């Protein structure tokens, strides 16, 4: 299976080159990696002069997992040189630049020859991937150099079909250690792989979320004399989310419920589009950037800036976390930290923390507005029980990054 994969990646290269000439997005994707290669090759580094750890994240969520582990290294081994790579373009350059590693870059496309210039220059002792990310050519290149390969905060959706299962087994078998985020993941990996080194140590993203909230100097409160209660916060919304939830603004039983909306994207075109949708249900709304927040009295507040969401949960009573009506759920740990009853679409199978919160009764799967209404009318006693349960769940994940660090050192 791995030989087939290697052959296919080689055959794909000419087509990818052609696409890069025709499609601007593909051209920029390759250009960024070409610039990173030049920067890496010119980086002043003495080979084998110090210990090197390479951390890799697929996207934003996995970068949070890497961040928690990187902070442990910076605390316990400040002399260790940290490489941090990401793959998805959803990771902003500013987020990557601010990451606590010595050298940050975009991962090359997974061809057999793609990583030699990195591995030859830095000779890392360990390669750590996060969650589910496995690039066979990268892992094979690392193993040829006897670099320890680890999948940390690991999760898996059991593969369906013979070929997919065979590929998963071949790819995940390339890891020397798989450190799962939850015991359910450990069972699934063992079922797939057998006797590989598989151990549950937790999800380091818990540490990133806790650290982000507890070290922040930002206080977030409702506007002074705000006339609405409760506050229903809609996080990381997409069009399917708004199609389901915005009609609730017309529900008589929710006339005193405020809606705070944080769309997944905040570019001007998206905000203009969302404003138009809101106006079709109510004129009682305010754009966050257009008013002094403490003086806002509107029932609907549309947040058109970044960096606020994690703190705004503190002032809410319920939280809907977007993505799972059409694709996959976003981060549920931040609102769970504040003990909020959570609402989500059904697509949560990739997120064991969302599954566990659902099993505990603190996250509700919704598909209809009637289901939403039922949750927003929970009794105060039920909400208090959920607050305690969700908060306790987040606490159980504290310290995962340090546990992963200790296992890597062994």
């Amino acid at each position: 299976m791995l030989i087939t994969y290697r052959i296919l990646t080689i055959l794909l290269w000419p087509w990818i080159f052609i696409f890069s000439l025709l499609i601007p997005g593909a051209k920029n994707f390759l250009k960024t990696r070409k610039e990173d290669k030049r920067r890496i090759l010119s980086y002043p580094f003495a080979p084998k002069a110090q210990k090197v750890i390479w951390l890799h994240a697929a996207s934003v969520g996995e970068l949070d997992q890497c961040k928690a582990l990187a902070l442990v290294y910076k605390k316990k081994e400040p002399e260790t040189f940290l490489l941090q790579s990401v793959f998805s373009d959803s990771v902003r350059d500013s987020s990557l630049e601010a990451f606590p590693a010595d050298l940050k870059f975009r991962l090359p496309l997974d061809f057999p020859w793609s990583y030699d210039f990195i591995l030859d220059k830095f000779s890392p002792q360990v390669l750590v991937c996060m969650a589910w990310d496995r690039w066979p050519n990268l892992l094979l290149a690392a193993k040829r150099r006897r670099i320890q390969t680890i999948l940390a905060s690991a999760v898996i959706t059991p593969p369906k079909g013979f070929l997919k299962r065979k590929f998963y087994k071949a790819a995940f078998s390339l890891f020397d250690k798989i450190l799962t985020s939850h015991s359910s993941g450990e069972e699934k990996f063992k079922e797939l792989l057998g006797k590989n080194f598989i151990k549950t140590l937790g999800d380091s993203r818990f540490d990133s979320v806790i650290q982000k909230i507890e070290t922040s100097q930002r206080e977030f409160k409702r506007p002074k004399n705000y006339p609405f209660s409760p506050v229903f916060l809609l996080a990381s919304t997409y069009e399917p989310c708004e199609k389901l939830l915005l009609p609730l603004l017309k529900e008589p039983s929710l006339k005193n419920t405020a809606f705070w909306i944080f769309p997944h994207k905040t570019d001007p075109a998206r905000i203009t589009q969302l404003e138009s949708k809101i106006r079709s249900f109510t004129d009682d709304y305010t754009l966050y950037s257009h008013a002094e927040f403490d003086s806002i009295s509107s029932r609907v507040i549309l947040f058109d800036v970044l960096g606020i969401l994690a703190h705004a949960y503190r002032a809410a009573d319920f939280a809907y976390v977007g993505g799972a009506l059409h694709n996959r759920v976003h981060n549920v740990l931040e609102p769970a930290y504040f003990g909020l009853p959570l609402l989500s679409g059904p697509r949560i199978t990739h997120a064991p923390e969302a599954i566990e919160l659902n099993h505990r009764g603190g996250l509700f799967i919704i598909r209809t507005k009637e289901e939403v209404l039922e949750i927003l009318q929970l009794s105060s006693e039920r909400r208090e029980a959920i607050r305690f349960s969700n908060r306790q769940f987040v606490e159980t994940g504290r310290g995962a990054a340090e546990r992963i660090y200790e296992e890597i050192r062994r």
Side-chain angles (χ1 to χ4, degrees):
M1 182 57 75
L2 293 178
I3 293 174
T4 303
Y5 176 86
R6 287 169 71 82
I7 292 171
L8 287 175
T9 56
I10 293 169
L11 294 177
L12 276 174
W13 167 241
W15 294 101
I16 290 174
F17 178 75
I18 292 171
F19 287 147
S20 71
L21 298 177
L22 301 175
I23 304 173
K27 182 178 181 179
N28 185 64
F29 185 92
L30 293 181
K31 179 184 176 183
T32 301
R33 281 150 178 80
K34 190 173 182 180
E35 291 171 350
D36 277 352
K37 182 174 182 177
R38 284 198 294 265
R39 185 166 54 86
I40 290 169
L41 289 172
S42 63
Y43 190 89
F45 186 81
K48 300 182 180 179
Q50 64 188 121
K51 180 179 178 181
V52 178
I53 302 293
W54 181 356
L55 308 178
H56 172 67
S59 191
V60 177
E62 293 75 34
L63 189 61
D64 278 342
Q65 293 170 328
C66 286
K67 183 178 181 180
L69 184 56
L71 290 172
V72 174
Y73 269 102
K74 288 300 180 183
K75 178 182 177 181
K76 295 186 177 260
E77 298 182 20
E79 73 285 354
T80 294
F81 190 90
L82 295 181
L83 297 170
Q84 177 64 56
S85 58
V86 298
F87 184 79
S88 174
D89 284 343
S90 65
V91 178
R92 296 183 177 86
D93 289 340
S94 58
S95 298
L96 197 53
E97 289 166 6
F99 191 88
D102 299 284
L103 182 61
K104 290 85 73 171
F105 56 93
R106 307 276 174 176
L107 190 75
L109 288 175
D110 194 47
F111 297 110
W113 58 82
S114 292
Y115 312 102
D116 291 341
F117 73 100
I118 302 170
L119 299 174
D120 290 343
K121 179 157 189 167
F122 296 101
S123 300
Q125 285 75 46
V126 182
L127 168 65
V128 184
C129 296
M130 290 291 176
W132 47 265
D133 214 12
R134 70 279 175 196
W135 294 104
N137 284 322
L138 170 60
L139 294 169
L140 287 167
K143 292 189 79 67
R144 283 198 303 271
R145 292 168 171 78
R146 297 184 179 180
I147 297 167
Q148 185 181 33
T149 54
I150 294 175
L151 183 66
S153 301
V155 297
I156 186 172
T157 301
K160 296 180 180 179
F162 174 76
L163 288 177
K164 192 172 184 180
R165 181 179 176 83
K166 193 171 181 181
F167 174 72
Y168 270 40
K169 185 172 183 178
F172 284 116
S173 292
L174 293 172
F175 287 103
D176 296 311
K177 294 182 178 181
I178 294 178
L179 310 177
T180 58
S181 60
H182 297 83
S183 58
S184 60
E186 180 177 342
E187 294 169 5
K188 291 173 184 175
F189 272 110
K190 285 182 175 178
E191 181 183 339
L192 178 69
L193 303 176
K195 296 182 180 180
N196 288 56
F197 185 100
I198 303 168
K199 186 177 183 180
T200 299
L201 294 180
D203 186 343
S204 57
R205 182 163 24 187
F206 282 67
D207 291 305
S208 286
V209 167
I210 292 169
Q211 189 267 345
K212 177 181 180 180
I213 294 171
E214 293 185 351
T215 61
S216 173
Q217 302 299 313
R218 182 166 196 157
E219 285 288 333
F220 197 99
K221 299 178 180 179
R222 299 182 189 187
K224 189 175 182 180
N225 299 320
Y226 194 58
F228 297 97
S229 183
V231 170
F232 183 24
L233 190 152
L234 281 52
S236 300
T237 63
Y238 296 80
E239 289 188 36
C241 311
E242 293 139 16
K243 184 178 180 181
L244 172 63
L245 298 172
L246 288 184
L248 292 170
L249 290 166
K250 291 288 191 178
E251 285 292 327
S253 63
L254 298 181
K255 64 181 180 180
N256 292 320
T257 299
F259 286 65
W260 292 4
I261 304 173
F262 289 77
H264 176 61
K265 292 186 177 180
T266 57
D267 57 274
R270 171 74 169 120
I271 294 300
T272 299
Q273 176 197 49
L274 189 45
E275 282 188 280
S276 177
K277 289 182 181 178
I278 294 170
R279 279 197 299 268
S280 68
F281 295 101
T282 181
D283 291 324
D284 187 15
Y285 86 94
T286 296
L287 201 60
Y288 176 84
S289 65
H290 288 190
E292 181 68 33
F293 183 69
D294 201 43
S295 65
I296 294 176
S297 60
S298 299
R299 182 184 176 204
V300 178
I301 305 177
L302 176 55
F303 290 80
D304 57 339
V305 298
L306 299 172
I308 299 173
L309 177 58
H311 310 287
Y313 286 123
R314 187 188 304 271
D317 296 287
F318 298 88
Y320 166 84
V321 181
L325 284 175
H326 70 294
N327 186 21
R328 52 197 295 177
V329 70
H330 283 235
N331 186 355
V332 298
L333 292 178
E334 289 173 352
Y337 176 92
F338 293 106
L340 301 185
L342 306 180
L343 296 82
S344 166
R347 299 191 179 187
I348 64 171
T349 54
H350 75 289
E353 64 277 10
I355 293 171
E356 180 63 24
L357 286 165
N358 177 245
H359 287 166
R360 288 168 170 248
L363 183 147
F364 300 87
I365 302 300
I366 52 101
R367 298 176 179 85
T368 67
K369 68 176 186 178
E370 287 76 20
E371 291 172 329
V372 179
L373 283 169
E374 184 178 346
I375 296 158
L376 294 182
Q377 294 166 358
L378 290 174
S379 68
S380 58
E381 292 80 10
R382 180 75 186 282
R383 285 165 54 188
E384 187 57 35
I386 289 172
R387 181 176 297 277
F388 176 80
S389 177
N390 284 1
R391 185 73 179 86
Q392 185 184 53
F393 171 68
V394 176
E395 280 299 319
T396 63
R398 191 188 289 266
E402 189 151 342
R403 292 191 291 273
I404 293 169
Y405 165 80
E406 293 295 341
E407 185 59 53
I408 293 172
R409 289 182 67 229
R410 292 178 184 173

